[in-house]
């Protein structure tokens, strides 16, 4: 596995100058942030040796490497989801490639449903912690010591200093940022109302279908992580209406400009 990650990383290194210090994983509808990267080098995933290949037509993602707010960054425009049928190893492969490229800070974003009834669609939420309900862990299997220990500490999965900085930035931008616990489910079904009630009882504020595997792998290798959820809808059963992917995309469209401004300022200051 390590060799495959090295092969992918060397290929990318041969295309770029210097090393990116910040990694960005852009969630559903939030990929536009990568369009703001200056002097971009874009590498479609399918061109990178050993990289997972997208099975869905027209759903191909790419890495965008360049400058954002004066910092060298590498962004994933499109991620791999467990529900698409990728193994946990494949879902998290790009995070390890980022590590070998030199990334020490990872900003992970996603679209999520709000379990917390006092939050609203369109709110941005700093992830304070997560609960893994995916029934899998990407680190199961032989441990790769070159990345990290067998039993990684997860007591500060989402870096406290980065969260403090992000809150200050939000205040300076007049953004009413929320905070809370993200529960990772596999999807692809949205939750049932009973599952949402369970999520609330368990201490969750948001539910989604990503992020948890990537963050586990990032923490294993010692990266500092900042997680931001765009709450695109109230989770199932809170409102008397069905959920749809259209609603999720519509909400990300609405918050796009404040999301962009927020993340750009974070990249500048951290
Ligand atoms: N549940 C799970 N994932 C999601 C949701 C949701 O309500 N909204 C956006 N992604």
């Amino acid at each position: 596995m390590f060799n495959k990650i090295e092969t992918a990383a060397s290929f990318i290194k041969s295309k770029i100058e210097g090393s990116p210090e910040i990694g960005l994983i852009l969630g559903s509808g939030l990929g536009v942030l990568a369009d703001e990267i200056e002097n971009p080098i874009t590498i479609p995933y399918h061109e990178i040796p050993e990289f997972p290949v997208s099975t869905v037509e027209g759903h191909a993602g790419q890495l965008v490497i360049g400058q954002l707010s004066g910092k060298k960054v590498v962004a994933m425009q499109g991620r791999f989801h467990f529900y698409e049928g990728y193994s946990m190893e494949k879902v998290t492969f790009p995070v390890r490639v980022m590590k070998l490229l030199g990334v020490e800070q990872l900003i992970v974003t996603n679209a999520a449903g709000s379990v917390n009834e006092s939050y609203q669609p369109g709110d941005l939420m700093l992830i304070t912690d997560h609960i893994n309900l995916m029934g899998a862990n990407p680190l199961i299997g032989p441990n790769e010591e070159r990345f990290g220990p067998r039993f990684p500490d997860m007591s500060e999965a989402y870096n406290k200093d980065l969260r403090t900085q992000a809150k200050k930035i939000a205040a300076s931008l007049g953004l009413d940022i929320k905070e809370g616990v993200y529960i990772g489910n596999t999807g692809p079904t949205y939750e049932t109302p009973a599952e949402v009630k369970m999520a609330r009882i368990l201490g969750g504020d948001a539910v989604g279908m990503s992020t948890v595997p990537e963050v586990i792998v990032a923490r294993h290798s010692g990266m500092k992580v900042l997680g931001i959820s765009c709450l695109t809808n109230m989770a199932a059963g809170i409102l008397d209406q069905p959920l749809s992917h259209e609603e999720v995309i519509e909400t990300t469209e609405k918050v796009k400009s404040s999301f962009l401004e927020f993340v750009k300022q974070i990249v500048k200051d951290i």
Side-chain angles (χ1 to χ4, degrees):
M1 187 31 112
F2 193 84
N3 290 346
K4 289 183 176 180
I5 298 162
E6 262 185 332
T7 303
S10 320
F11 175 82
I12 297 161
K13 279 183 193 165
S14 75
K15 305 252 170 206
I16 61 172
E17 274 169 38
S19 4
E21 43 185 321
I22 299 175
L24 294 156
I25 301 180
L26 305 172
S28 295
L30 304 170
V32 283
L33 182 61
D35 301 334
E36 305 272 318
I37 294 174
E38 290 162 39
N39 305 317
I41 300 207
T42 57
I43 314 178
Y45 296 152
H46 68 85
E47 287 182 11
I48 307 171
E50 306 296 349
F51 226 70
V53 280
S54 181
T55 47
V56 191
E57 275 304 310
H59 204 271
Q62 56 186 14
L63 285 186
V64 185
I65 301 145
Q67 302 264 128
L68 186 68
S69 312
K71 298 265 176 74
K72 286 201 175 103
V73 302
V74 49
M76 285 183 76
Q77 208 170 23
R79 59 147 62 87
F80 301 100
H81 295 94
F82 194 47
Y83 64 72
E84 291 175 271
Y86 296 105
S87 63
M88 279 285 170
E89 204 169 85
K90 287 193 167 153
V91 167
T92 57
F93 186 93
V95 177
R96 290 183 152 171
V97 171
M98 282 185 183
K99 176 72 186 182
L100 294 193
L101 292 178
V103 168
E104 288 301 337
Q105 292 178 310
L106 183 67
I107 301 176
V108 190
T109 67
N110 58 53
S114 183
V115 168
N116 186 320
E117 285 169 306
S118 64
Y119 296 171
Q120 283 174 11
D123 281 346
L124 295 178
M125 186 189 92
L126 286 178
I127 305 177
T128 55
D129 207 345
H130 75 220
I131 295 174
N132 180 7
L133 290 189
M134 292 185 147
N137 188 304
L139 300 179
I140 289 174
N143 184 53
E144 181 47 79
E145 289 287 335
R146 283 170 281 192
F147 284 114
R150 173 73 289 189
F151 301 108
D153 175 46
M154 289 294 280
S155 53
E156 202 180 308
Y158 300 82
N159 187 266
K160 209 169 181 177
D161 293 337
L162 290 180
R163 277 188 276 139
T164 304
Q165 285 191 68
K167 278 193 274 186
K168 281 192 190 140
I169 291 163
S172 75
L173 296 174
L175 207 88
D176 179 21
I177 190 88
K178 303 296 194 287
E179 285 185 278
V181 172
Y182 176 92
I183 293 190
N185 289 318
T186 63
T189 46
Y190 289 115
E191 297 71 23
T192 63
E195 286 163 348
V196 171
K197 188 175 170 190
M198 176 186 76
R200 193 177 303 117
I201 292 167
L202 292 181
D205 295 287
V207 277
M209 308 174 193
S210 66
T211 302
V212 166
E214 292 111 312
V215 171
I216 290 172
V217 163
R219 289 302 300 137
H220 179 236
S221 69
M223 288 170 159
K224 288 182 181 165
V225 176
L226 183 70
I228 306 167
S229 286
C230 172
L231 304 179
T232 52
N233 56 279
M234 297 313 285
I238 297 179
L239 305 175
D240 190 19
Q241 63 184 49
L243 308 187
S244 70
H245 186 59
E246 286 66 39
E247 180 187 6
V248 169
I249 296 302
E250 252 172 52
T251 311
T252 54
E253 278 295 316
K254 280 184 205 150
V255 299
K256 206 154 78 179
S257 66
S258 52
F259 173 79
L260 291 184
E261 198 184 8
F262 184 46
V263 179
K264 278 158 74 176
Q265 194 62 42
I266 291 171
V267 169
K268 190 174 192 172
D269 291 357
I270 64 174

